[in-house]
Amino acid sequence: MVSLKDICRGLPLNPLPENRGRRKGIPHAPVRTPNLTAQEKKLALRNALRYFPPDIQKKLVLEFAEELRLYGHIYMYRFFPDIEMRAYPIEDYPCKTKSAAAIMLMIMNNLDPSVAQFPQELVTYGGNGQVFSNWAQFWLAMQYLSEMTEEQTLVMYSGHPLGLFPSHRYAPRLVITNGMVIPNYSSRDEYEKLFALGVTMYGQMTAGSYCYIGPQGIVHGTVLTVLNAGRRYLKAEDLSGKVFVTSGLGGMSGAQAKAAVIAGCVGIIAEVDEAALMKRYKQGWLMEISNDLDHCIARLRDARKNKIALSLGYHGNVVDLWERLAYELDTTGELLADLGSDQTSCHNPFSGGYYPVQLGFEEAKQLLSTNPGKFRTLVQESLRRHVAAINRLTDKGMFFWDYGNAFLLEAQRAGADVEKKGANKTEFRYPSYVQHIMGDIFSLGFGPFRWVCTSGDPQDLATTDSIAMSVLEDSIRRGVSTSVKQQYHDNIRWIREAGRHSLVVGSQARILYSDQRGRVSIATAINRAIAEGRIKAPVVLSRDHHDVSGTDSPYRETSNIYDGSAFCADMAVQNFVGDAFRGATWVALHNGGGVGWGEVINGGFGLVLDGSTEAEERAKMMLSWDVSNGVARRCWSGNGYAYETICQAMKDNAALKVTLPQKVVDENILEQALKC
């Protein structure tokens, strides 16, 4: 077994490690079908071999060709490191700077088998969210980070470490871009080809920026979504006895079971992959599992009647579950579901993100690799059945929302009945959760703020939890608006529940939704606690790219932007650039994320707090911009939220004077202008 020091020495070439191929007993990414020509296959091999000296190339070319033929991509399984992959305490990393050590810690956390969806294919979540494109890139990146000084910046091109470049101490130590393909070529088919060639990579959101913290990240977002869905759709603060039906227990979607219980409702979640289901069950995120629909319906009825908080995993296809619920409605008149959504990786429907109901899981995986055209046809047929069953239930009073996984977009493309008459391109029969639920929260500046305790000590995490609660409680005492106060109370409740529900998977991390004022206050309080020795090691701040100003995504994060700019990516790019020169330790910009390749541009960051005065100043500068950029855009873009409320949020969050839009008071003047 290799050590961290070995990892930092660069590619192991003398001797070459044994090629053990795909390991048995762990989940693997679906086989890709890029349909390369003979010349393109040569190019893919040439691109992979250029990481190795000529004498080594002769030993590797045949196995790389075999990987390309069998799996549709060259992962370089021979170089899968024989190390316990996890977030080690920051002091264990042999680096010249704490910043570099923190980045290494975050990379290894993303690839931890308890965190990553397909660790040997370097996929963290979402079915195809890569950390790197191949294992040579991992070894080289770790070597560069171990050598880095505070006067250098590592540049990453879609997983490829371009090198260490002269810089200065105030610049980011790492700049990442993923999938930045010219717009006219950002299609799914082009992506499959370019990824197979090894020249671009889909980083999802926090996979390719090394900031994923396991499913806890989306547990919190799902808790808030379900709570606010109850408030909006059911007019209920108490969700006991209410039933939430959804699907997906893989990467981020694995959070839904735990979130349902924290929200106090009955959650039933379908999953076709038994390995994913069992992983969540063994982690304690699912309370019960069953492959029997009769049993599931009986348990649902009992928990609903007795108002028991329950997370029940159904091992089967969610279409079967929805159709059974529709059958129960038709035969008994009983509507068993109150809330519904979907969290399959539907942004990637034809490459393993969504499995058709007509086939069993293993049979479907086989068809995916042998006849992708037939697989696509069955997926679209399944989506039509999926939507038909949901429509039957919503007609009788269930509330359904799109959870930003491109479900309604792909259903529309499949010909399902999701049209909303007279709507614009980003609106469907059902709203996205941003349009009806989380968008209003974003408009106030609230989003998924995160931190990681690099000591690896749970006591440090407990200290940061206490600090965060104290900051929010103090803010409430000093006076905030009613809407902000509700969000602070929800997050105080979350912190208390998070400690009780053992949400840590991988690194000692926490997430909460906070506005600009809260983020800056929590960051400075944590930094001072490090300086005082109450926290033993640096803390890494980050966020989900799915945030106030991190992402331009017309079918998710910016789906409630109605001035026509939902398809423009200025905000995410400005966010990335602005964070870079305001103090971020690293920044990332991605094409693709959440709803798929070519559908979104998103930016992210990492910031290391080390207890220094400089770290506090960086946090104040960077976090202020990171939030107010997005609040200003939402204020200016007319997102449907109360005009006065969002303008007030802009004033509360912005550190400098900004241009506020003038409200068009009289719609009649627009009508008159059109008649001229």
Side-chain angles (χ1 to χ4, degrees):
M1 182 170 284
V2 300
S3 66
L4 287 176
K5 286 185 178 179
D6 294 327
I7 290 289
C8 294
R9 292 189 180 114
L11 276 165
L13 302 177
N14 188 21
L16 282 173
E18 178 187 356
N19 183 17
R20 289 182 275 183
R22 277 196 172 199
R23 306 282 174 89
K24 294 181 180 179
I26 61 173
H28 287 288
V31 173
R32 313 189 78 94
T33 53
N35 296 318
L36 300 182
T37 65
Q39 284 301 113
E40 287 168 338
K41 290 175 183 176
K42 286 183 182 179
L43 184 56
L45 288 168
R46 183 179 295 115
N47 289 343
L49 290 170
R50 61 188 172 179
Y51 289 101
F52 305 94
D55 60 321
I56 302 292
Q57 292 175 11
K58 296 174 184 177
K59 298 178 182 179
L60 299 177
V61 66
L62 291 180
E63 67 190 59
F64 286 177
E66 182 78 347
E67 287 185 18
L68 186 61
R69 183 180 67 82
L70 292 177
Y71 311 120
H73 187 73
I74 301 169
Y75 295 105
M76 306 183 186
Y77 289 121
R78 178 190 287 271
F79 296 97
F80 181 57
D82 184 21
I83 190 172
E84 182 186 353
M85 190 70 74
R86 63 180 176 86
Y88 291 84
I90 193 169
E91 296 296 338
D92 291 359
Y93 291 92
C95 296
K96 296 178 181 178
T97 77
K98 285 290 189 291
S99 297
I103 295 167
M104 292 175 76
L105 179 154
M106 300 291 280
I107 288 172
M108 294 188 73
N109 185 67
N110 267 23
L111 294 169
D112 181 336
S114 69
V115 174
Q117 187 179 12
F118 306 124
Q120 211 178 354
E121 287 77 42
L122 304 111
V123 172
T124 299
Y125 66 91
N128 59 350
Q130 306 284 146
V131 184
F132 300 101
S133 180
N134 59 56
W135 285 104
Q137 294 173 349
F138 166 84
W139 287 89
L140 289 172
M142 299 301 264
Q143 180 183 12
Y144 281 134
L145 287 166
S146 71
E147 297 171 354
M148 175 190 288
T149 70
E150 290 289 346
E151 283 76 42
Q152 292 175 312
T153 294
L154 174 59
V155 176
M156 300 293 298
Y157 276 19
S158 290
H160 170 66
L162 198 64
L164 289 172
F165 291 82
S167 187
H168 56 84
R169 60 177 298 175
Y170 301 106
R173 299 280 68 80
L174 174 67
V175 176
I176 306 166
T177 51
N178 283 313
M180 299 309 292
V181 174
I182 293 168
N184 279 357
Y185 300 91
S186 291
S187 69
R188 244 182 221 132
D189 290 342
E190 287 286 349
Y191 169 72
E192 289 299 329
K193 194 163 282 193
L194 292 168
F195 180 62
L197 292 177
V199 294
T200 198
M201 188 183 85
Y202 183 67
Q204 257 284 352
M205 290 187 153
T206 51
S209 65
Y210 320 147
C211 289
Y212 190 58
I213 61 167
Q216 179 191 168
I218 198 173
V219 172
H220 185 28
T222 307
V223 168
L224 292 180
T225 301
V226 173
L227 287 175
N228 285 289
R231 290 167 181 150
R232 181 177 183 114
Y233 301 130
L234 307 177
K235 310 303 179 189
E237 285 288 339
D238 181 4
L239 294 183
S240 57
K242 304 300 182 184
V243 177
F244 173 46
V245 178
T246 183
S247 58
L249 286 166
M252 298 189 71
S253 59
Q256 297 179 108
K258 182 67 79 172
V261 173
I262 293 174
C265 65
V266 180
I268 180 167
I269 307 98
E271 172 58 62
V272 295
D273 184 352
E274 186 177 18
L277 183 89
M278 292 306 298
K279 180 177 181 178
R280 297 306 175 205
Y281 182 57
K282 290 175 181 176
Q283 288 174 340
W285 294 53
L286 278 169
M287 296 166 66
E288 300 177 18
I289 56 176
S290 175
N291 60 5
D292 184 341
L293 272 176
D294 289 339
H295 175 76
C296 289
I297 295 300
R299 283 296 290 129
L300 188 158
R301 279 196 167 102
D302 178 67
R304 185 169 178 253
K305 177 182 177 181
N306 294 298
K307 296 189 175 182
I308 300 168
L310 172 69
S311 57
L312 172 60
Y314 166 56
H315 181 211
N317 197 291
V318 70
V319 180
D320 286 328
L321 175 59
W322 282 121
E323 290 181 340
R324 175 60 182 270
L325 291 167
Y327 171 81
E328 294 293 328
L329 175 65
D330 292 339
T331 56
T332 69
E334 190 175 13
L335 180 66
L336 293 175
D338 301 286
L339 301 169
S341 192
D342 185 87
Q343 270 276 48
T344 57
S345 295
C346 214
H347 69 278
N348 185 34
F350 310 123
S351 298
Y354 180 99
Y355 285 92
V357 66
Q358 304 92 320
L359 303 174
F361 181 55
E362 294 301 328
E363 188 181 2
K365 283 204 300 182
Q366 182 67 24
L367 184 67
L368 173 59
S369 62
T370 59
N371 191 342
K374 177 66 173 175
F375 183 87
R376 177 186 290 254
T377 298
L378 292 180
V379 163
Q380 293 188 320
E381 181 184 306
S382 183
L383 283 166
R384 291 193 292 272
R385 283 176 56 180
H386 196 152
V387 168
I390 290 168
N391 290 349
R392 180 79 187 89
L393 296 163
T394 58
D395 285 345
K396 296 298 181 180
M398 185 190 80
F399 295 92
F400 183 89
W401 68 88
D402 184 288
Y403 215 154
N405 62 336
F407 172 70
L408 291 180
L409 179 63
E410 290 302 332
Q412 179 192 55
R413 290 167 176 169
D417 182 14
V418 295
E419 181 184 357
K420 180 181 178 180
K421 292 181 180 178
N424 64 37
K425 289 192 292 184
T426 64
E427 294 180 289
F428 299 97
R429 177 171 179 159
Y430 305 109
S432 81
Y433 74 123
V434 173
Q435 288 169 328
H436 268 197
I437 304 169
M438 301 304 288
D440 289 353
I441 295 172
F442 285 168
S443 296
L444 294 172
F446 283 85
F449 181 53
R450 298 172 172 174
W451 59 88
V452 174
C453 298
T454 66
S455 66
D457 187 340
Q459 184 54 51
D460 274 357
L461 183 60
T463 301
T464 61
D465 282 349
S466 177
I467 288 170
M469 279 197 293
S470 295
V471 167
L472 298 183
E473 288 165 349
D474 183 59
S475 294
I476 292 171
R477 282 193 297 271
R478 288 188 286 111
V480 292
S481 67
T482 301
S483 53
V484 169
K485 183 188 292 185
Q486 183 182 68
Q487 296 307 316
Y488 278 174
H489 277 307
D490 281 351
N491 280 282
I492 291 167
R493 169 183 173 179
W494 158 257
I495 289 284
R496 290 182 178 135
E497 292 292 325
R500 293 198 306 110
H501 281 269
S502 303
L503 292 171
V504 169
V505 177
S507 60
Q508 292 294 319
R510 185 67 75 224
I511 179 175
L512 62 78
Y513 270 58
S514 185
D515 58 356
Q516 176 186 317
R517 186 178 300 169
R519 296 187 208 201
V520 171
S521 298
I522 291 169
T524 54
I526 288 175
N527 193 61
R528 287 166 189 166
I530 296 169
E532 294 163 3
R534 290 188 288 129
I535 297 173
K536 291 179 281 298
V539 170
V540 175
L541 303 181
S542 70
R543 56 161 168 75
D544 194 338
H545 299 203
H546 166 63
D547 195 12
V548 181
S549 65
T551 300
D552 286 296
S553 178
Y555 294 101
R556 195 163 82 173
E557 283 82 0
T558 48
S559 61
N560 64 336
I561 299 292
Y562 299 122
D563 70 344
S565 70
F567 293 86
C568 301
D570 301 75
M571 180 177 71
V573 175
Q574 289 279 3
N575 179 264
F576 162 80
V577 174
D579 285 356
F581 65 72
R582 286 181 174 86
T585 307
W586 72 94
V587 288
L589 186 68
H590 306 248
N591 172 5
V595 297
W597 180 261
E599 306 280 3
V600 50
I601 300 293
N602 65 82
F605 77 87
L607 176 64
V608 177
L609 299 178
D610 60 6
S612 66
T613 302
E614 181 184 311
E616 181 172 326
E617 290 305 310
R618 285 173 178 254
K620 288 177 180 177
M621 285 192 296
M622 200 221 72
L623 292 174
S624 296
W625 165 254
D626 195 64
V627 177
S628 60
N629 170 45
V631 176
R633 193 271 178 92
R634 284 170 165 77
C635 179
W636 189 256
S637 302
N639 71 341
Y641 197 47
Y643 176 83
E644 290 78 10
T645 302
I646 194 170
C647 285
Q648 184 59 49
M650 184 65 252
K651 293 173 183 175
D652 289 345
N653 282 280
L656 298 174
K657 182 177 180 181
V658 298
T659 305
L660 291 173
Q662 299 299 311
K663 188 173 183 180
V664 178
V665 178
D666 189 353
E667 292 291 321
N668 290 328
I669 64 174
L670 305 178
E671 295 293 335
Q672 291 170 6
L674 293 177
K675 293 176 182 177
C676 294

